[in-house]
Amino acid sequence: MKKIGIVGAGLMGSGIAQKAAQEGLEVVMVDVKPEFVEKGMNIIKSTLQEAVDRKILTSDNFTEIMGRIHGTTNMTDVRDCDIVIEAVPEDMKIKHGVFKQLDTICDHKTIIASNTSTFRVDALAEPVNRKDRFLALHYFYHPAKNRLLEIIPGSKTTKETINAAKRYSVLTGKTDILVKDAPGFAVNRFFVPVNNESTRMLAEGVANSATIEKAGRDALGIAMGPFEIVNLTGVPMALHASAGLGLGLTPFYDPSERLKEQASSGKLWPIEGEIQEDKLEAIKDRFRAVVFYIISAMLDEGVSSIDDIDLGAKVGLRWAKGPFELMNDYGIDKAYAIVEKFIKSWPDLTMPKSLIAQKKLGKPWEFRFVKYYKDGNIGRVVISRPDAMNALNHAVVNQLDEAFKEAEADKDTKAIILETTGKAFVAGADIKFFIDCIKEDKLEANYDFTAFGQEVLNRIDDSKKLVVAKMDGLALGGGFELALSTDVIVATNKAVMGFPETGIGIYPGLGGTQRPSRFIGKEMAKYLVFTGRVISAEEANAIGLVDYVFTPDEIDSKIESMIKEGKLAAKKGKKTEELPAEWQKIKALFADENISALLSGKYQTSNDPLEAKTAKTLAAKAPIALRMVNDIMDKGYKMSLKDGLKEELAHLYEIFRTKDALTGLTSVGKKPQFEGK
Ligand SMILES: NC(=O)c1ccc[n+]([C@@H]2O[C@H](COP(=O)([O-])OP(=O)(O)OC[C@H]3O[C@@H](n4cnc5c(N)ncnc54)[C@H](O)[C@@H]3O)[C@@H](O)[C@H]2O)c1
């Protein structure tokens, strides 16, 4: 997956091209006339220039990115692309023309994708011979900024094509959800009717527009209400989207008369009137009923999963909570009651079976953050909580345990790959939980969580199967510790890792004080844990903490072929003379005899730049955490790993009771001032 083609250099095409080029892919962008190509290139240039002005990119980045985009009117330029995405106007005839041409021009390997918002994938694929390598990739405006990507296979699309699309999504920094080929796909299916319902309520005189707007915001926990959103994206667009849904679904989804009137008036929605407080609750329930009905019906129809629907709302629409999460908060029984009442006005709607079943179950919806699946003779355990950078919380650790046990019990698998979705590997543990534990004086809950986490990681460590961590992004604290509990760490050159704990008043509790020193020696392990320095995959490989480093587009095939050939083996640890010079010095500096001087700050005035810099870094860390972790690492190093891990657990209450722990944990975005208390 190195080169991609975009057909149509308009609003969407140019954004898709920009994002792919930004992430390092080679891009060919085609349009029918040179002026359209130029227009697309200019859209990209101005978006990138904005990023340069805001110091998100440098002018060198700008030049590099533009250098990867080849604008052309010659369709044959896309022939050797790995994937070609069509983003021409929403007109079946035009799209069919493009697909026919692409099917003839492109290499056998090329996957053809459509960014359609309303057509069915099978209908789009009609003139194409390679229906197995055809699917829809639905982007959201602005495609270079909005991270959501809906992957929609047609009935003939193969699993290999879906996997390739997922790989493309990861390579271009997207969060993808898998959706069945159904009207509105996943997100628009529940989002568009929210706006439509607001116009119905207005027409019925339920309340003034300002009240409906506020009720929409409050019910769904969103920053902009339904009218404001439509004013931003365009009233005709809202009408078009509703009409599309209505055509494919039932009359409930049809655009309201009020929406049609507003669209033909050419005016925006007026958001006016005093808030009518007494009407808010009923309106909120009506919005909830619409969303809860639709998402449950989507489950019945197999449109998408609970997890993906929620992810779609959070990533694509920036809702603070997904709709199923909102339903859990509201209560399943109450949700059932408002849906039951709501559907009475619509003869075309019936109570969704999934909601009936959930009510019977008497439990909230359960999210699956960790899944196990078999891929030939490889077992894959996949953590997927990309909106929270896959942070480890109770649910994730519990499900990791279940998924891992399932993987281990699978007799046919040779190896287990532990992988995650989204841009981060695992960004650490859920800090909010720690803060709540401290504030609510429930340190035992924190202890239990950590002890159970250690148990799960030990199970991974002790597994008789080969366990491989595929680290393709940020791995901090618990995430790094999780990877270190596997047999082999294979990273992409985009992975970075570190132990930030002493900078937030605590110390690593999932083996971070024990496993690294067994791989790379106590000195360098102390350096990493004390300073919190974030190192790249290449650096980690050079010191012997990461076993292999590959580029993102080759990592999967490399892992698979090495497992097949039995060549994937741990190579952790290095002899001192094999270490890069900088690390040899670090190793010497962190020798036992220097530690107390280092911790006392004595080296801050040293003439040696490494000594002075390191001492200054340590001076900004929590002093109690540093001293404690030093002792734990010293003691644990002389013990068996299991006893060392117990030693790590033994001081949890002590560290979490310090004032500095709360100061550090609540310091996100600012530099904490530790008091040594
Ligand atoms: N705009 C959105 O918010 C949005 C969101 C998701 C999906 N979509 C879908 O994306 C697609 C493109 O939408 P857009 O908003 O970018 O449209 P647009 O009108 O901005 O761009 C379409 C481009 O396609 C070019 N084009 C037309 N025929 C062509 C051909 N035969 N070969 C090559 N190029 C050709 C046009 O010259 C134009 O530059 C549509 O299918 C739309 O439904 C749009």
Side-chain angles (χ1 to χ4, degrees), residues 521-554:
K522 202 171 64 170
E523 300 87 349
M524 287 195 297
K526 277 190 179 177
Y527 169 77
L528 290 174
V529 171
F530 289 12
T531 63
R533 174 168 156 190
V534 174
I535 55 173
S536 68
E538 282 92 353
E539 286 173 298
N541 183 243
I543 62 170
L545 260 192
V546 156
D547 301 285
Y548 300 86
V549 184
F550 297 116
T551 59
D553 65 318
E554 64 180 4

Side-chain angles (χ1 to χ4, degrees), residues 100-405:
K100 251 190 237 167
Q101 235 183 319
L102 288 174
D103 204 21
T104 320
I105 293 169
C106 291
D107 287 356
H108 177 78
K109 66 167 188 188
T110 307
I111 292 171
I112 302 177
S114 171
N115 178 42
T116 183
S117 18
T118 54
F119 295 131
R120 301 280 63 73
V121 179
D122 282 348
L124 287 165
E126 217 172 277
V128 176
N129 284 319
R130 60 181 84 198
K131 293 187 174 57
D132 55 332
R133 276 157 293 135
F134 186 95
L135 80 175
L137 293 178
H138 186 227
Y139 283 81
F140 289 77
Y141 189 77
H142 185 295
K145 296 178 184 166
N146 190 314
R147 293 175 92 87
L148 187 66
L149 180 64
E150 290 181 326
I151 297 183
I152 308 122
S155 59
K156 303 257 164 59
T157 314
T158 57
K159 208 174 149 231
E160 287 71 34
T161 303
I162 299 172
N163 286 343
K166 278 176 172 280
R167 228 173 9 253
Y168 162 75
S169 159
V170 172
L171 286 177
T172 53
K174 292 282 164 188
T175 299
D176 54 273
I177 62 173
L178 190 64
V179 185
K180 194 171 118 176
D181 187 11
F185 305 134
V187 168
N188 284 341
R189 171 80 176 264
F190 62 83
F191 172 64
V192 171
V194 167
N195 301 328
N196 203 19
E197 199 63 20
S198 62
T199 68
R200 284 191 185 126
M201 286 194 265
L202 193 62
E204 288 167 24
V206 171
N208 61 35
S209 56
T211 305
I212 298 173
E213 179 76 3
K214 177 168 169 44
R217 281 199 308 263
D218 294 351
L220 305 173
I222 48 182
M224 259 189 262
F227 291 119
E228 199 183 345
I229 292 173
V230 169
N231 283 348
L232 204 72
T233 51
V235 184
M237 185 86 131
L239 175 63
H240 176 75
S242 270
L245 278 186
L247 272 180
L249 295 160
T250 64
F252 160 67
Y253 293 91
D254 280 337
S256 74
E257 291 308 316
R258 186 69 187 81
L259 173 56
K260 289 181 197 162
E261 270 168 35
Q262 195 69 22
S264 56
S265 77
K267 291 187 187 145
L268 297 180
W269 288 107
I271 305 175
E272 58 196 6
E274 291 277 304
I275 302 292
Q276 300 160 289
E277 298 285 344
D278 56 326
K279 304 204 164 151
L280 282 173
E281 279 315 307
I283 304 171
K284 277 160 73 174
D285 275 352
R286 189 149 153 190
F287 278 125
R288 289 185 182 115
V290 166
V291 173
F292 296 168
Y293 161 74
I294 296 173
I295 56 169
S296 308
M298 285 165 72
L299 288 188
D300 284 8
E301 295 164 34
V303 172
S304 196
S305 65
I306 295 176
D307 316 284
D308 277 2
I309 292 170
D310 266 28
L311 200 54
K314 288 192 272 190
V315 178
L317 303 175
R318 297 182 213 286
W319 288 17
K321 288 185 175 182
F324 281 103
E325 220 176 332
L326 288 175
M327 210 190 314
N328 280 350
D329 288 353
Y330 188 67
I332 300 292
D333 285 348
K334 275 169 74 191
Y336 184 97
I338 57 171
V339 170
E340 192 176 41
K341 183 173 161 216
F342 178 74
I343 60 172
K344 283 200 178 114
S345 345
W346 292 97
D348 53 317
L349 306 185
T350 51
M351 198 65 185
K353 289 195 180 68
S354 57
L355 188 50
I356 298 174
Q358 202 62 30
K359 181 180 153 64
K360 228 184 228 163
L361 207 63
K363 279 187 184 167
W365 300 99
E366 200 194 3
F367 300 100
R368 292 307 306 175
F369 297 118
V370 189
K371 290 182 187 146
Y372 165 67
Y373 70 94
K374 222 169 100 177
D375 183 8
N377 59 3
I378 292 175
R380 290 183 188 272
V381 172
V382 186
I383 301 179
S384 183
R385 203 186 164 215
D387 53 312
M389 295 168 96
N390 300 315
L392 303 175
N393 63 7
H394 271 102
V396 173
V397 177
N398 275 323
Q399 293 179 18
L400 177 64
D401 187 42
E402 287 163 16
F404 195 79
K405 278 182 185 155

Side-chain angles (χ1 to χ4, degrees), residues 7-13 30-32 36 75 86-90 94-95 98 101 115-118 138-141 237:
V7 183
L11 220 52
M12 295 303 287
V30 196
D31 209 303
V32 278
F36 298 153
M75 189 79 114
E86 162 278 312
V88 302
E90 193 74 353
I94 304 181
K95 290 196 191 275
V98 168
Q101 235 183 319
N115 178 42
T116 183
S117 18
T118 54
H138 186 227
Y139 283 81
F140 289 77
Y141 189 77
M237 185 86 131

Side-chain angles (χ1 to χ4, degrees), residues 10 69 129 273 310 333 520 552 604 624:
I69 308 174
N129 284 319
D310 266 28
D333 285 348
I520 57 172
Q604 282 190 54
I624 302 177

